[in-house]
Amino acid sequence: MDPSRPPLGRGSFLSSSVHAATALLLLLVLLATLLRLPISISPRAAAPAGLADQRSQEPQQQAGCDPASPLDCADPRLFHLMMRHAIDAFPAVHFARFGRPVPGDPPSSSCDMAWRARSDSDDPSKATTKDYRRFAVARDPRTCAYSVLSIGEYHSGPNARKPRRAATNATIAPPPPPALSRSQFTRGSYLAYLGGGDRCKPMPHYLRSLLCALAEARYLNRTLVLDLTLCLAASYAAAGTGGMPEEGKRLAFYVDVDHLNSQVPIIEQSQFWADWDRWGVQGQLRARLVEDTRIPPVKFSKVRDTLIVRKFGDVEPGNYWYNVCEGEAKGVLRPMRRVIQWAPSLMHIVDDIVSRMQPDFDSVHIDANGEDLRRRVEEGLDAGRQVYVAGEGVNSALVEALKAKLTVHHLDEFEDLWGTDSKWFLEMRRLNGGVPVEFDGYMREVVDREVFLRGKKKAEVLR
């Protein structure tokens, strides 16, 4: 040891160590910067922001979490989890939209959710169908994290179903449409059909003529004067009525009149002529009479008369309304099928029938008879399937024979849906001024056909 050098004390050693450490730290910082590595000076600083707050809240969350309490089905986290689970569970289904979940039964472990979707097997132009199912949901007893355990069968979540307007046992008819004021009436332009041979004809004939009248009113941009009652052909008469035509049947029993009016403006015939008697016949409003069905609407499309009347003669078949859309007028009058939709009361029955069957049932429409009918029906269907059998050729003997290889359903099996205690019966009685309405032959035909069209695989056995 050199006695001339003073001994290195503790302070000198620390000072040298600090300088060395500082140099080393600067070197490490420079190296980390060049390598773009994250710099963490202390383990505490490296912890995620808010971790301490989160940890401090965990005991409170655990203390306030009761898995036996009702689920908060409106929680966005649960909503998104249910949507993801549905999408994963049904890869062949194309979901259009989901409804907000609502509490199921029991509310502590289930939520119901509705959706609209289309399957891979459906035609792309086909409208989406609605389903509503029950989701079994569990919660972690410690963290209350959600998990979906299972999804119920078709229509298993009725709480998510949009409620229908409640049927009532009222004995008063719905109020008539409000009468037009004189100024409203005189500002309008109208088209009326008088006479014709369409009364009491089969419904396809009546609807063909109605569509033609609607097409002309639309082309002329006029309100159609329409009798909102009809005469039901004898072929549709309910059992026990004597097989006679039935006058006074409301169009609303069969057709969605509100939808009809939204497509082409209509005014009830009796209301119109009452207003015309007050304000039109005195010469204040002009009318034009057209007596030849062969005159196309282009000939009077620019007239300014308040009323155009097509008058039909007494000789059939030249006095059918649909003749207006034939001949020269065929190029401009194109009857639009979409303006006719079936009455909601009938479609509710269709929905209820479908909901009682599996969603992928098959269907067959029979319009034939003969000894080989069973064989012809079975040839178009797969054994073991659930099948809805529709059409005029259905009878109890055929149904029993088909049950050997198929699970068979038919319209009469669901007659409680239009019985005297049904929502349909009560609603129709209200609409008819307190008078009961029979579930007639044409109503049966509409419901039967619509259920058939809902089948996944459809077959027809014709004559």
Side-chain angles (χ1 to χ4, degrees):
M1 176 181 297
D2 186 353
S4 63
R5 295 184 60 185
L8 295 176
R10 183 177 179 183
S12 301
F13 178 79
L14 290 176
S15 176
S16 301
S17 299
V18 167
H19 287 302
T22 302
L24 180 60
L25 180 60
L26 290 174
L27 182 61
L28 290 174
V29 170
L30 178 61
L31 180 61
T33 302
L34 293 175
L35 295 177
R36 299 182 181 273
L37 296 174
I39 301 174
S40 176
I41 303 301
S42 70
R44 186 176 185 85
L51 180 61
D53 293 339
Q54 180 178 342
R55 289 174 177 172
S56 66
Q57 292 175 8
E58 281 184 359
Q60 297 177 1
Q61 291 177 352
Q62 293 174 7
C65 176
D66 180 10
S69 63
L71 283 166
D72 181 10
C73 296
D75 187 334
R77 295 172 299 173
L78 180 54
F79 182 25
H80 294 155
L81 178 64
M82 292 169 64
M83 286 192 292
R84 288 200 305 270
H85 203 84
I87 293 170
D88 293 341
F90 304 105
V93 173
H94 301 280
F95 292 93
R97 63 178 180 270
F98 291 91
R100 290 287 178 181
V102 298
D105 186 18
S108 61
S109 60
S110 64
C111 294
D112 292 359
M113 184 171 71
W115 62 66
R116 283 197 170 275
R118 183 186 296 110
S119 67
D120 281 340
S121 60
D122 291 336
D123 189 291
S125 63
K126 183 180 177 181
T128 57
T129 57
K130 186 175 183 180
D131 193 5
Y132 34 89
R133 303 205 183 197
R134 179 151 294 166
F135 289 67
V137 179
R139 284 176 285 184
D140 187 285
R142 186 174 60 86
T143 64
C144 274
Y146 299 118
S147 60
V148 174
L149 302 180
S150 64
I151 302 178
E153 297 296 328
Y154 180 71
H155 280 191
S156 58
N159 293 352
R161 183 181 186 180
K162 185 177 180 180
R164 298 175 183 168
R165 185 179 62 180
T168 175
N169 198 19
T171 57
I172 58 172
L180 299 177
S181 67
R182 178 172 180 172
S183 60
Q184 290 174 322
F185 185 83
T186 56
R187 284 198 304 267
S189 56
Y190 308 93
L191 172 68
Y193 280 20
L194 292 184
D198 304 279
R199 201 78 180 170
C200 301
K201 290 293 190 293
M203 285 296 283
H205 176 119
Y206 169 79
L207 293 176
R208 179 184 177 186
S209 287
L210 175 59
L211 284 169
C212 179
L214 292 165
E216 184 172 40
R218 187 184 185 99
Y219 176 80
L220 296 173
N221 195 26
R222 289 175 173 267
T223 298
L224 180 65
V225 179
L226 183 63
D227 186 356
L228 295 182
T229 66
L230 56 88
C231 174
L232 190 69
S235 57
Y236 303 117
T241 60
M244 298 295 291
E246 292 184 72
E247 283 280 5
K249 303 283 278 190
R250 292 178 181 268
L251 181 61
F253 291 167
Y254 311 94
V255 172
D256 188 341
V257 176
D258 289 337
H259 174 76
L260 190 69
N261 190 43
S262 71
Q263 301 296 307
V264 180
I266 58 176
I267 184 172
E268 205 280 323
Q269 178 177 280
S270 60
Q271 175 189 329
F272 172 82
W273 289 117
D275 291 341
W276 184 262
D277 288 342
R278 282 187 291 173
W279 301 314
V281 296
Q282 300 173 4
Q284 300 171 354
L285 302 177
R286 298 172 57 185
R288 178 179 296 256
L289 181 64
V290 180
E291 296 189 79
D292 190 345
T293 59
R294 294 172 297 179
I295 299 177
V298 293
K299 300 293 186 182
F300 46 85
S301 60
K302 296 182 180 180
V303 301
R304 297 185 177 181
D305 301 88
T306 301
L307 174 63
I308 295 175
V309 178
R310 275 198 183 270
K311 186 177 180 180
F312 296 82
D314 300 325
V315 181
E316 299 184 24
N319 63 349
Y320 295 155
W321 288 7
Y322 63 69
N323 288 322
V324 171
C325 295
E326 301 297 325
E328 189 177 345
K330 195 171 185 178
V332 295
L333 297 184
R334 298 180 178 87
M336 299 166 294
R337 295 285 177 183
R338 70 173 183 272
V339 305
I340 300 290
Q341 291 187 358
W342 301 125
S345 56
L346 294 178
M347 295 310 295
H348 288 163
I349 294 179
V350 174
D351 291 339
D352 287 339
I353 291 175
V354 172
S355 69
R356 294 186 185 184
M357 298 188 291
Q358 295 175 4
D360 63 342
F361 69 93
D362 295 335
S363 58
V364 58
H365 190 270
I366 303 172
D367 189 11
N369 50 45
E371 296 181 357
D372 63 340
L373 184 57
R374 173 185 173 182
R375 177 187 59 79
R376 294 170 62 192
V377 171
E378 291 178 343
E379 284 177 351
L381 300 170
D382 299 326
R385 292 283 293 168
Q386 182 176 219
V387 177
Y388 180 83
V389 183
E392 296 181 0
V394 179
N395 56 62
S396 57
L398 175 63
V399 169
E400 291 302 319
L402 292 174
K403 286 182 178 179
K405 294 184 178 180
L406 303 165
T407 302
V408 182
H409 300 281
H410 58 101
L411 185 61
D412 288 337
E413 181 181 333
F414 306 98
E415 61 183 0
D416 62 295
L417 295 175
W418 57 85
T420 55
D421 294 329
S422 66
K423 292 180 180 179
W424 177 88
F425 183 85
L426 297 176
E427 176 65 14
M428 290 301 99
R429 185 168 66 180
R430 183 194 68 82
L431 186 63
N432 203 35
V435 179
V437 177
E438 293 287 344
F439 192 70
D440 60 49
Y442 192 66
M443 295 174 184
R444 291 178 60 90
E445 186 175 310
V446 169
V447 171
D448 206 29
R449 184 73 180 178
E450 288 298 313
V451 176
F452 162 74
L453 293 175
R454 299 281 185 93
K456 183 175 183 180
K457 180 179 181 181
K458 294 176 281 291
E460 290 193 279
V461 179
L462 307 177
R463 291 183 177 87

